[in-house]
Amino acid sequence: MCDQPAQFADQPATDPALRRTLAAAGLPATGRFLPKAGWVSRVWVGDEYVVRLNNNGQFRGAYRHEATVVNLLVGSEVPHARMLAHGDGPDGPWYISERLPGRTLYEAWPAADSHTRRSIIESLGRALRALHRVPAPADLLPPWLADALRGTPWPAFHPPVVSAALQQVEAARRLPNHDSRLLANVADWIQERLALFAADEPVLVHGDVHGSNVIVDQGRVTGLIDFAEALAQPADVELDTILRWCAKAREYPPTPDERGLDETTLTEVPGWLRGAYPELFEREQLRERLNFYDMYVELALYAHHPLPDTREAARDRIALLLSGHNHLDGLAW
């Protein structure tokens, strides 16, 4: 879920939905607000706080989940936006947080020089280390993902859940015209690798770290935002998302109508991150673990995506992964 924006002109709080939300939170509708488009939310950025209004019913529990996660961060060293209020109203679920200094990494990155970029990523590494030290319930899952694992439609396909990998194989087998031989090979492939995770302790993972969900200012991270996909999983699940972003940045735009960053500007990110947070890269058989996470994501797409072309593309990537290749091949990490 990505709620960061395209740019518009400043406007006062005249939008009726915004005014109703501010009133429900007991906040004044004064000052000027910048309306911003998002993937699943309407967003208004004010001088002191950010207002989000969920307009996608598939994610109705997202803000309650985010509030739960942000409450876990209180008193920690994780840079984040303090929650002011959240609730449900006639316009849908809403969430109001303090406004952090700076702008998204996506917005700041193109004009930043190499020194500033490195400083940002090193700061991100420190933020992630702090996040992964925050105690969290072992069964923490976003509501939409918990529902999807119980059989409801999937509104999104990330992040991975190690224990549910074989479940995705079975879901794919229920597809008409599925590739039974491919799925038999995938099931064997997964079974051979489950032991890699047997000794893991789940930690608090953001689950969606990329350029639009990191706020930066003067070369440092001032906040991780949008914890709607946070969950308890092995720490290197975080690395899976970050490396996927580095390899396929154009597929991570801030809104559906925009384009993500140029991947060639992110080639040094894995190395900088490794220098700042080496423990994230020190797991035994890390490449096989990352391949496992990738398999989970592709299986979820193959089993659940509504578009046939997307499912077919996922099938092709699964076949490639079985041969030992994926997006990680082109990264220096």
Side-chain angles (χ1 to χ4, degrees):
M1 297 176 65
C2 170
D3 292 329
Q4 290 303 312
Q7 295 294 331
F8 297 90
D10 283 343
Q11 295 181 7
T14 56
D15 186 291
L18 173 58
R19 294 183 68 88
R20 284 191 292 268
T21 303
L22 291 170
L27 294 171
T30 56
R32 300 181 70 81
F33 286 81
L34 178 69
K36 297 189 172 186
W39 283 82
V40 300
S41 300
R42 299 179 66 189
V43 184
W44 296 270
V45 178
D47 295 331
E48 299 179 22
Y49 35 80
V50 177
V51 180
R52 289 185 289 159
L53 185 63
N54 191 332
N55 52 17
N56 187 320
Q58 292 180 302
F59 296 101
R60 288 192 66 85
Y63 291 158
R64 287 193 299 275
H65 179 69
E66 183 164 359
T68 297
V69 174
V70 169
N71 282 334
L72 295 175
L73 304 181
V74 174
S76 75
E77 297 181 0
V78 181
H80 66 282
R82 182 171 55 94
M83 181 191 67
L84 301 179
H86 74 97
D88 290 281
D91 303 293
W94 52 268
Y95 185 102
I96 302 178
S97 59
E98 67 175 337
R99 180 178 179 177
L100 295 168
R103 52 185 178 155
T104 65
L105 185 155
Y106 171 87
E107 293 167 321
W109 194 259
D113 59 25
S114 180
H115 174 78
T116 302
R117 289 176 176 179
R118 179 169 186 161
S119 178
I120 289 171
I121 299 305
E122 289 174 347
S123 180
L124 175 61
R126 293 189 292 272
L128 292 175
R129 180 192 285 113
L131 177 68
H132 298 159
R133 291 174 176 172
V134 173
D139 60 352
L140 182 70
L141 282 177
W144 68 263
L145 182 53
D147 289 345
L149 292 175
R150 288 192 290 264
T152 62
W154 281 56
F157 304 93
H158 211 272
V161 178
V162 171
S163 62
L166 287 173
Q167 185 176 330
Q168 301 317 308
V169 178
E170 295 308 310
R173 283 176 169 154
R174 292 192 288 271
L175 290 172
N177 303 316
H178 66 267
D179 189 330
S180 57
R181 178 177 296 181
L182 177 76
L183 293 177
N185 291 336
V186 169
D188 291 343
W189 188 97
I190 289 173
Q191 290 278 19
E192 291 169 1
R193 287 160 177 78
L194 283 173
L196 294 174
F197 307 93
D200 283 345
E201 292 289 337
V203 303
L204 180 58
V205 171
H206 181 284
D208 197 23
V209 174
H210 55 78
S212 295
N213 286 338
V214 180
I215 303 296
V216 302
D217 189 41
Q218 299 182 21
R220 67 182 179 92
V221 172
T222 57
L224 303 176
I225 62 171
D226 196 350
F227 284 89
E229 294 195 21
L231 73 170
Q233 282 293 290
D236 53 359
V237 161
E238 207 86 86
L239 186 57
D240 167 68
T241 310
I242 293 168
L243 294 181
R244 192 182 306 277
W245 168 58
C246 290
K248 304 180 178 184
R250 289 179 178 86
E251 298 178 13
Y252 288 80
T255 69
D257 327 346
E258 298 182 75
R259 190 176 185 179
L261 295 172
D262 179 353
E263 293 90 354
T264 62
T265 70
L266 301 173
T267 54
E268 294 184 276
V269 166
W272 291 336
L273 184 64
R274 187 170 197 152
Y277 187 4
E279 310 95 292
L280 194 59
F281 293 78
E282 290 173 355
R283 303 302 294 266
E284 290 187 17
Q285 300 189 59
L286 178 61
R287 174 62 188 258
E288 283 303 310
R289 292 170 63 90
L290 292 170
N291 286 347
F292 187 98
Y293 300 143
D294 187 29
M295 180 65 80
Y296 180 98
V297 172
E298 298 299 346
L299 272 173
L301 289 168
Y302 181 51
H304 302 287
H305 202 281
L307 298 178
D309 289 349
T310 300
R311 292 198 303 271
E312 184 66 19
R315 192 205 71 83
D316 292 344
R317 289 192 295 270
I318 289 170
L320 184 65
L321 185 52
L322 287 174
S323 72
H325 299 286
N326 63 0
H327 61 276
L328 296 174
D329 294 345
L331 292 179
W333 53 277

